[in-house]
């Protein structure tokens, strides 16, 4: 008898490794955005990197001609674009004008649990009570962290931006992960970028005209990274990992992103990781881990269906 067990194991590790590669690319996004928005308008940051990434997507499609999405898939791709091409970049850029990268990372740490929540809603899963308890506790932990950071004077506008960024990214991750199984991993983000190009390209020109462009080479290098890796190649790897699956296992890799980002914030930006940031981040990551693990256990029977 031939042994067939290694193949699924290799496939499983391949999905996780692709997912980890994508998350590693994403982990530099907040620190580099923080540097860029010091001299680059957050609006240009959003539209410009989306436009540049869309140009790369068009080049990729000229080389490899993919199957066109149907009407329903175009609508879903628009949702992906609103989440990860427009929403998350815009609101993180606005927030990071006023708050440190490490502060933003603690709020973004809730993203895995919120993504799991939207997957539950989107797929009609019925997760355990533990999932709901951990998800609600994670949201409460974020509120407490923001309240402590503001001295209980009320949630600041940058914090609202960060929460909106989390919600929109979770929606984009969820729909993009599902679409990657139908259209292909890299094709999904490319289509989302191309769909957004007719809006983003004119807005980029307007933003460049309204606000003088930065003269700082470091800012432009950070901008270039967010366009090439955060907006383009990172999604190649992330959606590739989700498509290989199992999606429930690969999604847990996202829990490592805030850890990486806090490390880069300290090493690259020299930000001080205060006790409230370390404790808040640890609590939120732990609750997100519990929520994702609880959802995985309830979803495993259907995750093996074809």
């Amino acid at each position: 008898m031939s042994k067939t067990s290694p193949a699924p194991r290799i496939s499983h590790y391949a999905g996780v490794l692709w997912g980890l590669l994508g998350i590693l690319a994403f982990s530099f996004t907040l620190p580099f955005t923080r540097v860029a928005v010091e001299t680059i308008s957050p609006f240009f940051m959003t539209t410009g990197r989306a436009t540049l990434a869309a140009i790369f997507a068009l080049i990729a499609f000229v080389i490899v001609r993919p199957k066109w999405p149907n009407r329903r898939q175009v609508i879903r791709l628009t949702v992906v674009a609103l989440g990860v091409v427009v929403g998350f970049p815009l609101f993180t850029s606005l927030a990071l004008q006023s708050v440190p990268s490490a502060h933003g990372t603690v709020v973004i740490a809730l993203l895995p649990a919120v993504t799991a929540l939207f997957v539950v809603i989107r797929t009609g899963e019925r997760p355990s009570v533990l999932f709901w308890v951990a998800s609600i506790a994670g949201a409460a932990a974020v509120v407490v962290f923001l309240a402590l950071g503001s001295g209980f004077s009320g949630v600041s506008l940058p914090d609202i931006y960060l929460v909106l960024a989390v919600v929109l990214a979770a929606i984009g991750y969820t729909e993009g992960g599902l679409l990657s199984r139908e259209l292909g991993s890299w094709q999904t983000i490319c289509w989302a970028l191309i769909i957004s190009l007719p809006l983003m390209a004119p807005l980029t020109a307007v933003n460049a005209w309204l606000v003088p462009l930065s003269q700082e080479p470091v800012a432009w290098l950070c901008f270039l990274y967010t366009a090439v890796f955060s907006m383009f190649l990172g999604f190649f790897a992330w959606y590739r990992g989700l498509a290989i699956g199992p999606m429930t296992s690969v999604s847990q890799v996202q829990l490592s992103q805030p850890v990486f980002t806090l490390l880069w914030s300290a090493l690259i930006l020299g930000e001080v990781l205060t006790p409230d940031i370390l404790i808040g981040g640890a609590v939120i990551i732990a609750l997100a881990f519990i929520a994702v693990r609880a959802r995985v256990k309830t979803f495993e029977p259907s995750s093996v269906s074809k």
Side-chain angles (χ1 to χ4, degrees), residues 111-134:
L111 182 55
V114 178
T115 301
L117 176 62
F118 278 109
V119 171
V120 166
I121 296 171
R122 181 67 176 81
T123 61
E125 292 178 32
R126 294 174 180 253
S128 65
V129 173
L130 179 60
F131 170 83
W132 294 111
V133 171

Side-chain angles (χ1 to χ4, degrees), residues 22 74 77 167 210 221 242 273 275 306:
V74 168
L77 285 165
V167 172
L210 290 176
L221 286 174
L242 290 174
L273 302 182
K306 299 295 182 184

Side-chain angles (χ1 to χ4, degrees), residues 75-91 168-169 171-172 192 195-196 199-200:
I75 294 173
R76 294 167 62 193
L77 285 165
T78 303
V79 173
V80 175
L82 289 173
V84 301
V85 178
V86 181
F88 185 82
L90 174 61
F91 288 116
L168 290 170
I171 293 172
I195 285 174
S196 67
L199 174 65
M200 290 301 183

Side-chain angles (χ1 to χ4, degrees), residues 13 37 59 101 130 149:
Y13 287 140
V37 296
I59 294 172
S101 171
L130 179 60

Side-chain angles (χ1 to χ4, degrees), residues 7-281:
R9 183 177 295 274
I10 292 173
S11 177
H12 171 78
Y13 287 140
V16 171
L17 288 174
W18 275 109
L20 182 60
L21 185 60
I23 289 303
L24 185 61
F26 294 154
S27 68
F28 287 95
T29 302
L30 291 189
F32 286 166
T33 300
R34 180 75 175 89
V35 173
V37 296
E38 289 182 358
T39 54
I40 297 177
S41 161
F43 298 104
F44 181 88
M45 189 77 185
T46 301
T47 62
R49 72 186 192 181
T51 299
L52 183 57
I55 293 172
F56 294 141
L58 286 172
I59 294 172
F61 276 2
V62 169
I63 299 172
V64 180
R65 299 182 182 275
K67 181 180 73 173
W68 283 66
N70 58 40
R71 183 177 300 179
R72 177 173 172 77
Q73 288 169 335
V74 168
I75 294 173
R76 294 167 62 193
L77 285 165
T78 303
V79 173
V80 175
L82 289 173
V84 301
V85 178
V86 181
F88 185 82
L90 174 61
F91 288 116
T92 53
S93 296
L94 289 170
L96 291 173
Q97 285 186 304
S98 307
V99 298
S101 171
H103 177 96
T105 302
V106 174
V107 182
I108 301 299
L110 194 60
L111 182 55
V114 178
T115 301
L117 176 62
F118 278 109
V119 171
V120 166
I121 296 171
R122 181 67 176 81
T123 61
E125 292 178 32
R126 294 174 180 253
S128 65
V129 173
L130 179 60
F131 170 83
W132 294 111
V133 171
S135 298
I136 294 171
V142 170
V143 172
V144 171
F145 170 77
L146 296 179
L148 290 173
S150 63
F152 296 97
S153 60
V155 178
S156 66
L157 186 58
D159 292 329
I160 294 175
Y161 289 150
L162 289 170
V163 172
L164 287 172
V166 168
V167 172
L168 290 170
I171 293 172
Y173 281 2
T174 300
E175 204 59 52
L178 295 172
L179 273 170
S180 66
R181 293 180 167 179
E182 302 172 23
L183 298 173
S185 53
W186 65 272
Q187 294 93 328
T188 296
I189 188 60
C190 283
W191 279 120
L193 288 165
I194 290 171
I195 285 174
S196 67
L197 184 59
L199 174 65
M200 290 301 183
L203 287 178
T204 299
V206 171
N207 288 326
W209 178 69
L210 290 176
V211 180
L213 296 179
S214 172
Q215 302 298 315
E216 296 292 333
V218 173
W220 285 111
L221 286 174
C222 291
F223 168 86
L224 186 62
Y225 181 92
T226 62
V228 176
F229 291 96
S230 303
M231 185 67 69
F232 191 60
L233 295 180
F235 279 102
F236 276 39
W238 177 237
Y239 283 154
R240 172 66 174 166
L242 290 174
I244 293 174
M247 191 172 178
T248 49
S249 297
V250 177
S251 65
Q252 294 176 78
V253 175
Q254 193 179 4
L255 294 164
S256 64
Q257 182 174 342
V259 178
F260 285 131
T261 302
L262 286 174
L263 179 62
W264 309 145
S265 298
L267 294 178
I268 298 174
L269 303 181
E271 293 182 359
V272 178
L273 302 182
T274 58
D276 62 315
I277 287 177
L278 292 173
I279 295 172

